[in-house]
């Protein structure tokens, strides 16, 4: 009886120990993948390594190791069953990637890219799998390349200045162009045109119009901002190359200004004279109307008295009758009047 109970107790203790051991066995399979925190810079045409490591450190020889781009299927390199797998690899990486195995047993692995191209620039993901458990980390590769030195030449006169061109090619990423005067002062206004070739490298054309004939030398610099490297080329622009200002142009501008002022002055004077004459004519017409109204008033008074016979305008004779006698007055120096007989008699002087 005691042996039976003792055997049952030992079975239960063994089961409990197994249960306690399972979580620890499972946790031993878990890990974290860690990649570089800063972007990795690679030169065009060179080699570069994209490293990732495990925490805690463990042997990686029997793991699946994969580096891919934005999608899981866009594999740059795959290591599985202790050998490289090429079936899922992108064609752009064929023959250009390999695994750095030096520290696999210590939990460190790296993909090496040979002959770096502009296509390699961008984000990557490294994924490590053991059994059904996997983890991944992201890393960034920044490809940089310095292209040709700028070529600068004078294209010709334009807009009262000289048009200068600067051209460079084979740069990555898109370079920065800057024009400077001999004094070091930057030209802020110029045009730029960029283009990419089949390999993804940039070419640039920058055009500057120099209007100051005293500028002398101007320099064109092309800069790779990632590497902080630039190439510079200067050109000297002789002063005779600038469009010459014709001597008659200042005189023409002065003459044009004077003529404009004269035209405006004449127009103002003519308008003022016309206004003055029109005002004078209006005043004369008003005075003439007043005189006519006054004359008409006098005629009306005489007519009402029965003494008037004929009354004409101021410029003609004025005839009137008074006291039985008929008089006619002709305008003159003394306004002398001639007397007319009422019944067909002769005219008698007054």
């Amino acid at each position: 009886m005691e042996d039976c109970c003792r055997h049952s107790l030992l079975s239960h203790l063994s089961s409990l120990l197994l249960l306690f051991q399972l979580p620890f066995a499972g946790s031993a399979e878990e890990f974290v993948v860690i990649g570089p925190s800063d972007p990795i810079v690679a030169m065009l045409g060179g080699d570069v390594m994209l490293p990732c490591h495990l925490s805690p450190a463990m042997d990686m020889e029997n793991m699946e190791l994969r580096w891919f781009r934005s999608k899981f299927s866009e594999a740059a390199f795959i290591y599985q069953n202790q050998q490289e797998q090429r079936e899922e690899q992108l064609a752009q990486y064929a023959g250009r990637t390999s695994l750095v195995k030096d520290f696999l047993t210590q939990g460190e692995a790296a993909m090496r890219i040979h002959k770096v191209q502009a296509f390699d620039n961008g984000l990557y993901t490294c994924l490590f799998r053991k059994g059904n458990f996997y983890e991944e980390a992201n890393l960034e590769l920044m490809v940089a390349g310095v292209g040709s030195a700028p070529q600068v030449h004078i294209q010709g006169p334009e807009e009262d200045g000289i048009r200068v061109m600067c051209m460079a090619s084979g740069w990555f990423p898109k370079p920065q162009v800057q024009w400077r005067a001999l004094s070091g002062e930057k030209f802020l206004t110029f045009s730029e045109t960029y283009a990419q070739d089949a390999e993804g490298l940039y070419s640039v054309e920058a055009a500057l119009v120099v209007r100051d004939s005293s500028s002398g030398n101007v320099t064109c610099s092309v800069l790779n901002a990632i590497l902080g490297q630039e190439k510079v080329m200067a050109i000297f622009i002789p002063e005779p190359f600038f469009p010459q200002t014709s001597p008659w142009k200042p005189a023409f501008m002065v003459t044009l200004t004077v003529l404009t002022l004269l035209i405006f002055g004449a127009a103002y004077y003519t308008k003022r004279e016309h206004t003055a004459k029109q005002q004078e004519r209006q005043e004369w017409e008003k005075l003439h109307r007043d005189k006519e109204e006054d004359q008409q008033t006098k005629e009306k008074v005489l007519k009402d008295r029965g003494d008037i016979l004929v009354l004409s305008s101021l410029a003609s004779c004025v005839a009137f009758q008074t006291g039985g006698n008929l008089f006619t007055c002709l305008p003159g120096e003394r306004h002398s009047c001639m007397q007319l007989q009422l019944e067909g008699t002769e005219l008698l002087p007054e």
Side-chain angles (χ1 to χ4, degrees), residues 186-317:
K186 294 181 179 180
F187 291 98
L188 302 180
T189 304
F190 58 91
S191 61
E192 298 169 282
T193 304
Y194 292 91
Q196 277 184 285
D197 59 19
E199 297 179 356
L201 304 183
Y202 284 91
S203 61
V204 60
E205 292 185 3
L208 171 71
V209 178
V210 183
R211 294 181 173 84
D212 186 2
S213 59
S214 64
S215 297
N217 285 359
V218 294
T219 61
C220 174
S221 64
V222 183
L223 170 69
N224 186 306
I226 295 176
L227 302 175
Q229 297 181 17
E230 69 175 352
K231 292 187 176 182
V232 181
M233 182 62 67
I235 188 171
F236 175 71
I237 307 177
E239 189 170 350
F241 278 38
F242 287 85
Q244 299 297 316
T245 303
S246 300
W248 56 267
K249 285 188 177 180
F252 173 77
M253 295 304 297
V254 172
T255 304
L256 182 62
T257 304
V258 172
L259 286 176
T260 302
L261 293 175
L262 289 175
I263 291 172
F264 278 110
Y268 173 76
Y269 177 78
T270 302
K271 182 177 180 181
R272 190 178 68 173
E273 287 294 315
H274 176 73
T275 303
K277 289 182 178 180
Q278 188 175 13
Q279 185 177 0
E280 183 180 352
R281 181 176 179 181
Q282 290 175 352
E283 291 177 355
W284 182 85
E285 290 178 350
K286 183 176 181 300
L287 179 62
H288 186 68
R289 284 195 302 270
D290 291 344
K291 289 183 178 181
E292 286 188 346
E293 289 175 1
D294 183 60
Q295 185 64 33
Q296 289 174 0
T297 301
K298 291 180 180 180
E299 290 178 1
K300 187 174 184 302
V301 172
L302 293 174
K303 186 175 181 181
D304 291 342
R305 291 173 53 187
D307 293 340
I308 190 166
L309 179 62
V310 179
L311 184 64
S312 62
S313 66
L314 294 174
S316 62
C317 296

